[in-house]
Amino acid sequence: MSSYDKYQPELDPTPLSTRYASAEMMTIFSARERASTWRQLWVWLAEAEKELGLPIPDEAIEQMRANVVVSDKAFAVARDYEAKFRHDVMAHVHAYGEDAPAAAGHIHLGAKFFTDNADLIFQKRALDLILPKLAKVIKNLQEFALKYKDMPTLGFTHYQPAQLITVGKRAAQWIQELMMDLEDIETVRDRLQFRGAQGTTGSQATFLELFNGDANKIVQLNEILCKKAGFKSTYPISTQTYTRKVDLRVANAVCALGATAQRICTDIRHLANLKEMEEPFEKSQIGSSAMAYKRNPMRSERITALGRKLARLPADFTATFETQWFERTLDDSAIRRMDIPEMFLLADSVLLALDNVTNGLVIYPNVIRARIDQELPFMATESILMKLATHGVSRQDAHEEIRVLSHQASDVVKQQGGRNDLLERIKRTEFFKPVWDEIDSLVDPKLFIGNCPKIVEDYCNGEVAEKLAKYKEALDKAATAQLSI
């Protein structure tokens, strides 16, 4: 693979291109793809202008079509021209002219057309690449949630034991947040438009001159260009660029995925510490270089790190948008060359890793049950109080008896490091004799999970399944992502 086929950062080396992102995403933002897309846009412009009556020779268009893909030699030629002109666009115009000499006088006719349109094409392609990957992660968790919809587990509020939920219910919460990301990314993808041929400041003056004042031909020109590039329409108003608000809208949707990924993987990391859930761990994988027994949640930690970076990129896009003056300033160029590829490479990397993790989550039911058994006796006391009331026992008297025994059991747990023996204490206390035979049936964990199984079923088989149906073809072909660890 030539260096021109792979995304290369402008300033510093990045692990995104060597460890984390997919080859498909790196290709979209490679130097060759960028320059070749510029050439393709010049071809489309020349074809459309000829169709509308401009005298562009067939030979010129044929030579342009034959040399759309930029060769290594052409890159070298462009470098020489850029050293002379100090202008990367004109460098590639001249390099293309050497490859297609019959077209040399027709390339870039109308000007200020291709760089922004190319960026819109790249973002559209990148969005199309990440959407099915996000759907795959949701599908993984949908299957997981349905599988464990009935398995009780401790809920946590303030990271303190709370009312029971189910393992599937917790996963359904993760799904809901990812579904929000999917919907937001779909929205910005569907609303993405083309800049088209709008001229130097968006006045269309150059094209109006080319078409001898016929404004209808500019409309036709942009309709042809949109069809060739795969866009429904152009933005109604452009300056020298499409408004950088577009980049910010895309970033707000895509980068929010970073926050969701952090939230999910932080839960997984906490559950790994509790030994209730683990990410996939391969047979020969080393969890720690120093402590051989450890099974560190390395993949979830990686996702958290990548997600942290991704989630904070909108600040850059905000600043770039808000500091554009009038019809355009060039302080948007360098930062967008870094931020747009980085945003999509990060999102791609996060989704590949999330797919790998969510498709192999490991559950430890005995640990989950043991933790429930430590807390459930306290939670079951209200049921015991209610049952005693049916035997005519004063609730206030029963409350005091349970309060005393609960503090004793809590002392065993907290001060002595023992297990919760509240139920055994209740069974030994004469006051509770009327319900001794019923106590075990009152502390079945499934009595405390409320409507969790139905909530999971209704959501996963309803709204989630409906959304995933749109991605059925891609999901049917998708294999679990394998990571470079």
Side-chain angles (χ1 to χ4, degrees):
M1 178 182 285
S2 166
S3 62
Y4 296 119
D5 291 315
K6 200 171 187 180
Y7 169 73
Q8 296 182 86
E10 304 288 332
L11 299 177
D12 298 308
T14 172
L16 290 173
S17 61
T18 56
R19 290 173 64 85
Y20 303 143
S22 67
E24 296 85 354
M25 188 64 80
M26 287 189 285
T27 297
I28 291 174
F29 295 103
S30 68
R32 195 184 312 279
E33 194 68 17
R34 181 178 181 82
S36 297
T37 301
W38 289 356
R39 289 191 174 191
Q40 182 63 72
L41 283 160
W42 281 321
V43 172
W44 288 338
L45 181 61
E47 290 172 340
E49 289 173 335
K50 180 178 177 61
E51 184 178 335
L52 293 171
L54 294 188
I56 300 175
D58 289 339
E59 183 184 9
I61 293 177
E62 288 169 5
Q63 287 186 8
M64 290 172 73
R65 288 172 179 163
N67 292 280
V68 166
V69 178
V70 181
S71 66
D72 288 10
K73 179 183 177 182
F75 272 111
V77 171
R79 277 198 303 273
D80 291 340
Y81 275 119
E82 186 169 359
K84 177 181 178 182
F85 298 140
R86 299 298 178 186
H87 197 291
D88 60 339
V89 172
M90 291 309 298
H92 278 277
V93 169
H94 282 268
Y96 199 10
E98 289 196 13
D99 284 344
H106 304 280
I107 298 167
H108 203 51
L109 194 60
K112 287 299 174 188
F113 164 70
F114 63 99
T115 52
D116 268 33
N117 282 316
D119 285 342
L120 290 165
I121 289 171
F122 300 145
Q123 292 195 60
K124 180 170 174 281
R125 288 175 57 194
L127 290 167
D128 286 340
L129 192 59
I130 67 174
L131 280 167
K133 294 182 179 182
L134 178 50
K136 174 64 162 57
V137 174
I138 293 171
K139 177 68 173 175
N140 293 345
L141 287 172
Q142 178 202 38
E143 294 173 354
F144 179 87
L146 288 170
K147 180 177 180 180
Y148 293 106
K149 63 183 173 63
D150 299 306
M151 180 180 286
T153 189
L154 278 181
F156 291 97
T157 58
H158 313 277
Y159 200 31
Q160 302 299 313
Q163 194 174 60
L164 267 61
I165 57 169
T166 65
V167 172
K169 169 66 165 54
R170 180 172 286 134
Q173 175 65 30
W174 300 339
I175 294 170
Q176 180 172 255
E177 291 152 1
L178 289 167
M179 285 278 284
M180 292 177 183
D181 291 322
L182 185 67
E183 290 163 2
D184 290 346
I185 295 171
E186 285 178 337
T187 298
V188 296
R189 163 62 179 82
D190 291 342
R191 292 181 179 177
L192 206 61
Q193 294 174 273
F194 209 42
R195 180 177 182 267
Q198 307 297 341
T200 304
T201 59
S203 68
Q204 301 179 343
T206 305
F207 292 101
L208 195 63
E209 183 178 346
L210 285 173
F211 293 120
N212 297 315
D214 189 344
N216 288 330
K217 284 196 173 181
I218 301 175
V219 174
Q220 295 174 49
L221 175 67
N222 280 304
E223 288 174 348
I224 294 169
L225 292 171
C226 283
K227 185 175 181 180
K228 287 178 179 291
F231 287 82
K232 297 176 183 177
S233 59
T234 61
Y235 291 104
I237 307 296
S238 285
T239 58
Q240 190 170 91
T241 67
Y242 65 81
T243 172
R244 298 310 182 218
K245 183 76 169 183
V246 174
D247 296 341
L248 178 56
R249 291 177 78 181
V250 172
N252 283 337
V254 173
C255 297
L257 172 65
T260 307
Q262 289 180 83
R263 180 261 196 282
I264 292 170
C265 288
T266 299
D267 277 0
I268 293 173
R269 291 162 65 191
H270 280 120
L271 292 168
N273 172 263
L274 297 175
K275 297 181 174 58
E276 293 188 10
M277 176 188 288
E278 283 184 344
E279 63 182 33
F281 197 91
E282 297 172 14
K283 184 177 180 181
S284 58
Q285 182 176 332
I286 295 174
S288 167
S289 60
M291 294 161 278
Y293 62 88
K294 294 189 75 178
R295 293 166 66 103
N296 297 335
M298 297 163 60
R299 303 175 200 200
S300 296
E301 290 174 313
R302 172 187 294 187
I303 296 167
T304 303
L306 294 170
R308 184 184 308 141
K309 177 72 170 175
L310 177 60
R312 281 147 185 79
L313 278 181
D316 283 358
F317 288 94
T318 298
T320 298
F321 163 61
E322 66 192 9
T323 56
Q324 284 293 285
W325 302 347
F326 303 111
E327 280 62 58
R328 196 269 165 92
T329 54
L330 198 60
D331 57 339
D332 64 336
S333 179
I335 192 168
R336 290 176 71 252
R337 289 190 186 205
M338 293 181 285
D339 282 349
I340 292 175
E342 187 173 69
M343 169 173 63
F344 285 108
L345 289 166
L346 281 165
D348 185 65
S349 302
V350 164
L351 288 170
L352 289 174
L354 269 178
D355 178 33
N356 182 274
V357 168
T358 57
N359 199 45
L361 289 171
V362 180
I363 293 296
Y364 295 105
N366 291 335
V367 177
I368 292 173
R369 179 56 195 261
R371 185 157 284 106
I372 290 174
D373 289 344
Q374 281 287 86
E375 304 295 338
L376 190 58
F378 296 129
M379 300 177 189
T381 54
E382 185 63 26
S383 297
I384 295 172
L385 286 173
M386 294 301 99
K387 186 60 67 174
L388 283 168
T390 66
H391 290 273
V393 178
S394 164
R395 188 185 188 282
Q396 286 71 26
D397 292 343
H399 184 280
E400 177 60 20
E401 291 288 336
I402 286 180
R403 186 188 69 82
V404 171
L405 295 182
S406 294
H407 282 296
Q408 292 172 358
S410 180
D411 182 76
V412 171
V413 173
K414 294 180 179 179
Q415 300 296 334
Q416 303 174 36
R419 67 177 188 82
N420 190 332
D421 64 353
L422 176 58
L423 296 181
E424 286 82 353
R425 290 175 183 274
I426 290 174
K427 289 179 181 179
R428 294 196 303 267
T429 302
E430 192 71 20
F431 180 87
F432 296 97
K433 188 173 183 179
V435 297
W436 279 350
D437 294 340
E438 301 173 81
I439 287 175
D440 288 341
S441 65
L442 296 176
V443 291
D444 181 350
K446 290 193 175 182
L447 297 175
F448 295 84
I449 61 174
N451 206 27
C452 284
K454 187 176 188 302
I455 291 171
V456 174
E457 282 188 341
D458 289 350
Y459 182 56
C460 288
N461 291 330
E463 183 179 333
V464 177
E466 182 180 346
K467 175 63 73 174
L468 292 179
K470 177 180 177 180
Y471 298 92
K472 184 179 186 305
E473 183 177 352
L475 292 172
D476 287 345
K477 296 186 295 185
T480 300
Q482 300 302 307
L483 306 183
S484 298
I485 300 294

